[in-house]
Amino acid sequence: MTRIDDVARLAGVSTATVSRALRGLPTVSAATRRRVLAAAEQLQYAVSPSASRLAGGRTGTVAVVVPRITRWFFGTVVEAVEEFLQDSGYDLLLYNLGGREQTRQRVLRTASLHKRVDAIILVATPLRAADVHALTKLDLPGVTISSGSEVPGWPCVRIDDVAAARTATRHLLDLGHTRIAHISGDPDDELAFTTHLDRRRGYQEALRAAGLQPDPSLDVESRFTIDGGTRATTELLARGEPPTAIFAACDEMAMGAITALRDAGLRVPEDVSVMGIDDHDLAGVLGLSTIAQPAAEQGLLAARILLDPLGVRAAEPYPGLVPAPRGADTDDGTPPPVILPTRLVVRESTAPPRAH
């Protein structure tokens, strides 16, 4: 059976250099790495990942925590993170909280992550003070994705939800709509946390900039689901005169709104225009106008940022993706958020209001 010292003798290097080269660490020159890989291939030496990692004091695993893996955004982000980690020689350990408080406390507040992972990625996971305290005590590198889940000292990758909502509402205003409803997130929904507040703020800012006062009767809270959008739209229609346009806080809500409008005998967009945020995989199929957010790119960039303190250098995930300029770190050493751009995607679900 071939041993690591056999590879070291053939390559003319130390066993430590062989170990570093086979683990892809940046402290080995390209020429030496090629020599070691050639020797390992010639001797048919297969490194044991677990042994290699343990020898370096690492697990070779990154924890990714999500509120609900079944939702489009979370699934898209996790898939992108896993792809990037695998290409960099790391494994992904997924924690799906699933809305279960017991699971949340076990993952975030106990020692379940201790010595099991080298780093943590929190994907749009709302945190309480006890969660932040427990994560800080772990003293592991970490990155958060989306606002509302910040941990002191951890970078954050996200979009500007306020600006995205402003753009969505402004699109409807530019079409001539003035009676624009908003389906916002339910504050009791663990998926909403600050996102729904930021998107409502953008909606209201756009209205005020156009000289319109936000109408509370046109603002309905619901869950970030298709069913949530259906229920909210049904409630809107029951309040009296329907709006000429609906801006939903996410595409799945917008899909539910379209269903409710059609069930009520209203046409989209002839009677009511519908707008979302996300650019969900089904948005194009349904002809849904939306604000496209780079979900996969957020995951890839978070993984790229995370691997830096672990000494792993990898290619830039999306060379053409330019984040917003970053400012100075905060007083507690937290880097400013890396904000990725969004874009308006106009499809068939929005049009000028029907002339009366």
Side-chain angles (χ1 to χ4, degrees):
M1 182 176 179
T2 304
R3 298 164 55 88
I4 191 171
D5 49 359
D6 298 324
V7 178
R9 268 194 303 273
L10 182 58
V13 297
S14 68
T15 56
T17 299
V18 172
S19 176
R20 288 195 296 270
L22 295 179
R23 283 186 286 151
L25 297 183
T27 52
V28 180
S29 69
T32 300
R33 191 186 313 279
R34 285 194 296 269
R35 197 161 70 248
V36 170
L37 292 175
E41 182 178 4
Q42 180 179 336
L43 296 174
Q44 297 183 326
Y45 174 74
V47 64
S48 165
S50 57
S52 175
R53 292 163 180 170
L54 289 173
R58 291 181 178 169
T59 66
T61 304
V62 172
V64 178
V65 182
V66 299
R68 291 184 184 274
I69 191 60
T70 54
R71 303 295 166 80
W72 170 82
F73 177 77
F74 306 125
T76 302
V77 168
V78 169
E79 182 178 21
V81 170
E82 183 173 33
E83 177 185 341
F84 193 81
L85 291 177
Q86 285 185 347
D87 288 345
S88 304
Y90 274 77
D91 295 325
L92 181 150
L93 180 59
L94 177 65
Y95 289 94
N96 175 34
L97 302 185
R100 298 179 293 270
E101 181 61 24
Q102 185 177 5
T103 302
R104 173 198 184 85
Q105 293 191 18
R106 178 178 60 81
V107 173
L108 299 179
R109 300 186 195 176
T110 69
S112 61
L113 295 174
H114 183 58
K115 294 187 178 180
R116 296 189 67 183
V117 298
D118 297 329
I120 305 167
I121 296 178
L122 296 178
V123 185
T125 303
L127 299 175
R128 299 171 186 138
D131 302 329
V132 174
H133 177 70
L135 289 169
T136 303
K137 282 183 62 179
L138 287 173
D139 195 27
L140 291 174
V143 177
T144 62
I145 298 177
S146 187
S147 58
S149 57
E150 289 81 1
V151 176
W154 289 18
C156 176
V157 177
R158 63 178 177 85
I159 65 169
D160 186 334
D161 287 294
V162 176
R166 272 200 307 263
T167 300
T169 309
R170 192 180 303 122
H171 167 64
L172 297 172
L173 290 165
D174 290 344
L175 288 173
H177 294 278
T178 56
R179 188 171 169 77
I180 303 171
H182 178 49
I183 302 177
S184 183
D186 183 347
D188 293 329
D189 184 355
E190 82 276 9
L191 302 184
F193 54 111
T194 64
T195 300
H196 76 292
L197 298 176
D198 290 339
R199 294 181 183 179
R200 174 185 279 143
R201 179 178 145 202
Y203 156 76
Q204 293 177 343
E205 285 181 359
L207 290 180
R208 291 192 178 100
L212 300 173
Q213 190 63 27
D215 184 349
S217 70
L218 295 178
D219 194 330
V220 182
E221 295 178 344
S222 193
R223 293 190 173 269
F224 274 54
T225 62
I226 294 176
D227 182 64
T230 301
R231 291 174 181 271
T233 304
T234 301
E235 181 180 337
L236 267 174
L237 298 178
R239 292 180 178 181
E241 180 186 357
T244 63
I246 295 174
F247 162 47
C250 74
D251 280 358
E252 291 180 55
M253 288 173 135
M255 294 172 191
I258 291 174
T259 299
L261 290 169
R262 290 176 176 168
D263 287 347
L266 296 171
R267 298 168 298 167
V268 176
E270 292 85 357
D271 298 318
V272 182
S273 289
V274 178
M275 182 86 193
I277 288 185
D278 276 336
D279 204 21
H280 188 287
D281 290 344
L282 295 178
V285 177
L286 298 175
L288 178 64
S289 293
T290 187
I291 301 297
Q293 68 160 317
E297 291 90 331
Q298 289 178 70
L300 289 167
L301 188 54
R304 173 70 179 83
I305 292 171
L306 188 69
L307 292 185
D308 271 346
L310 298 179
V312 179
R313 302 288 176 178
E316 292 296 335
Y318 276 73
L321 191 66
V322 181
R326 295 175 60 178
D329 290 1
T330 60
D331 292 339
D332 63 6
T334 302
V338 180
I339 301 175
L340 301 188
T342 57
R343 59 187 174 87
L344 172 65
V345 180
V346 180
R347 296 192 178 102
E348 296 81 21
S349 69
T350 53
R354 185 178 57 180
H356 292 286

